[in-house]
Amino acid sequence: MQRELEEMMTQHSAHLLRLAYFYTKNIHAAEDIVQDVFIKMLSTPYEERGHLRSFLTRLTVNKSKDYLKSWAYRKWQFESKWRMTVTDRDHIIQQEERSAIGAAVLSLPLKYREPILLYYYEEMPVLEIAELLGLSDNTVKTRLRRAREQLKPKLAGQWEVLGDE
C-alpha cells in the first residue's frame, strides 16, 4: 500500500500542486491542500469507477474551495496586503505566474478562472467540468466564453487558443 501511495504521489503531486496554487495563489496553502488530498485518499475507499487523476482533481478542487472559504485564507489575504515576502520555494511557481498567460488567468474572477483552468490546463471536456463544478454545461460554456472575452485584450497575440475560439 505504501509503495502504491508513493507512486501515486510521484505521478500526481506536481499536477495537484499547480491546480491548488491556481485556486489559492499561495504555495504553502497549496502544499497543505495536496497533502490533505493524499491523506483523504488513504482514508476514503476509492472504487475504480473512473480515472484516478479525475478523482484526485475533484478532491483538490473541493479542498481548495474549502480553503478559500476559511478564516485562514482571509487572514492570509489581509496579511499579504501589508507585507510581501518571497521565499526561494516560491520561485518556480512565481515564474509561471509572471508569464503573461499565467498572470492574466490568475487575474480572472474565480468563477471564470475555474472553467479556463479545467478546460485548457486539465484538458477536461465541458460536460466533465459541469459535473465537477455542479453547473449545467451551458453555464460552463458561457463562463468559458466570458473568460476568453476578458483574456483577449490582455493576451492579444500571445495565447493562440484565444484566436481560434
Side-chain angles (χ1 to χ4, degrees):
M1 180 69 175
Q2 183 176 353
R3 184 179 175 125
E4 292 174 10
L5 179 64
E6 288 176 10
E7 289 177 20
M8 183 183 2
M9 289 175 72
T10 302
Q11 188 175 9
H12 298 288
S13 61
H15 155 73
L16 297 177
L17 180 63
R18 190 176 320 109
L19 181 63
Y21 179 77
F22 276 128
Y23 272 90
T24 64
K25 299 181 186 180
N26 180 333
I27 186 65
H28 304 295
E31 289 171 345
D32 290 344
I33 288 169
V34 171
Q35 183 178 7
D36 288 346
V37 165
F38 285 118
I39 290 170
K40 177 118 176 148
M41 179 68 189
L42 283 176
S43 65
T44 304
Y46 172 69
E47 300 169 8
E48 290 290 332
R49 284 187 266 162
H51 296 317
L52 179 62
R53 182 178 170 117
S54 296
F55 180 71
L56 291 172
T57 298
R58 182 181 308 260
L59 286 176
T60 303
V61 167
N62 290 338
K63 286 278 185 191
S64 298
K65 285 181 176 182
D66 289 345
Y67 173 77
L68 293 176
K69 295 174 191 173
S70 72
W71 177 84
Y73 172 70
R74 285 181 266 155
K75 179 183 175 206
W76 173 81
Q77 208 174 24
F78 176 77
E79 288 176 353
S80 68
K81 287 181 181 177
W82 297 107
R83 79 180 146 81
M84 296 297 263
T85 58
V86 179
T87 64
D88 291 338
R89 283 175 62 201
D90 293 341
H91 183 68
I92 295 171
I93 300 290
Q94 285 183 349
Q95 282 179 339
E96 188 171 333
E97 184 176 339
R98 283 187 201 130
S99 74
I101 296 170
V105 170
L106 287 174
S107 72
L108 291 172
L110 184 61
K111 74 179 192 176
Y112 297 131
R113 191 178 344 139
E114 281 179 316
I116 287 288
L117 291 174
L118 296 173
Y119 187 78
Y120 289 110
Y121 288 93
E122 301 300 320
E123 299 177 354
M124 293 173 73
V126 171
L127 292 175
E128 196 172 325
I129 295 169
E131 181 182 325
L132 178 68
L133 299 177
L135 303 169
S136 72
D137 58 332
N138 286 330
T139 302
V140 171
K141 290 176 189 176
T142 300
R143 288 184 180 180
L144 280 170
R145 182 179 46 78
R146 289 181 181 164
R148 288 184 199 112
E149 288 171 357
Q150 288 183 19
L151 289 172
K152 271 187 183 182
K154 296 176 185 176
L155 300 174
Q158 293 180 16
W159 198 14
E160 62 275 355
V161 296
L162 292 176
D164 299 336
E165 300 296 328

